Amino acid sequence: MKIHEFQAKQLLREYKVPLPEGLVAETPEEAVAHAQTLGRFPVAVKAQVHAGGRGKAGGIKLANSLDEVRTHASAILGMTIKGITVKRVLIETGVDIAREIYAGIVVDRATKCPVLMVSSAGGVDIEEVAAATPERILKIPMRHEIGLADYQIRQAIFFLEIPREAQKSFAHMLCALERIVTERD
């Protein structure tokens, strides 16, 4: 399933995963209106393309005012990231980020089975991490008929060194991700 960030977040919200509020805009004016609707700053203006490295390419910016939202949306909309033209931006309430991780479920081409992939190198292009520092990625094969087992969730938590106070919500997020993938298969 290849979907944009805003679409993935819509799915995760259906499974009660807490996420920042966000709205999608196709014009700078719409981006400003959405920032007004969200009602607080900072907001993130995030390119919605099927490509990694959006931040490095200038496709993710923080805005502290409506003027900055307009400026960033104007710059991001129409830009090209890895050969893809940005047609939409996600305007999202800002959050304090203590740490970024990567978590995803992909299909292993060789076994045709789902694999949970997690990495402490979140916020960057996971393909670059895989090539340069593969030890920073944990791949956990899943049996399609069983899904994600409790011990596998604990394995991911241990690998990522998730703090005790965040383990329950992280486990909930992984289970939601697994249900999204298996229910839409």
Side-chain angles (χ1 to χ4, degrees), residues 31 52 72 133 172:
H72 294 327
T133 54
H172 174 72

Side-chain angles (χ1 to χ4, degrees), residues 24-39:
V24 179
E26 295 182 2
T27 66
E29 294 73 25
E30 194 176 8
V32 169
H34 289 340
Q36 286 176 309
T37 299
L38 294 174

Side-chain angles (χ1 to χ4, degrees), residues 24-27 48-49 76-79 84-89:
V24 179
E26 295 182 2
T27 66
Q48 297 299 287
V49 292
I76 294 170
L77 288 164
M79 80 181 332
I84 303 168
T85 302
V86 178
K87 296 179 182 173
R88 295 184 201 111
V89 291

Side-chain angles (χ1 to χ4, degrees), residues 39-161:
R40 62 184 165 100
F41 288 96
V43 296
V45 181
K46 303 167 95 177
Q48 297 299 287
V49 292
H50 292 144
R54 294 176 299 156
K56 288 181 185 177
I60 300 175
K61 300 285 186 187
L62 282 179
N64 290 302
S65 69
L66 294 176
D67 285 340
E68 286 185 10
V69 170
R70 184 183 316 283
T71 298
H72 294 327
S74 295
I76 294 170
L77 288 164
M79 80 181 332
T80 302
I81 300 176
K82 294 190 178 177
I84 303 168
T85 302
V86 178
K87 296 179 182 173
R88 295 184 201 111
V89 291
L90 173 62
I91 308 302
E92 188 173 73
T93 54
V95 294
D96 289 329
I97 299 172
R99 181 174 160 215
E100 292 185 70
I101 61 168
Y102 173 91
I105 296 177
V106 298
V107 175
D108 181 304
R109 289 188 178 118
T111 64
K112 295 184 176 45
C113 288
V115 175
L116 171 65
M117 282 180 40
V118 296
S119 176
S120 59
V124 296
D125 194 341
I126 197 66
E127 289 83 7
E128 289 178 23
V129 177
T133 54
E135 70 278 4
R136 294 187 69 191
I137 298 176
L138 175 64
K139 296 178 183 178
I140 302 173
M142 299 165 45
R143 292 190 43 204
H144 193 65
E145 64 278 3
I146 296 172
L148 198 54
D150 288 346
Y151 78 90
Q152 292 172 312
I153 293 170
R154 288 191 300 276
Q155 186 180 8
I157 286 170
F158 179 77
F159 180 79
L160 295 171
E161 300 176 346

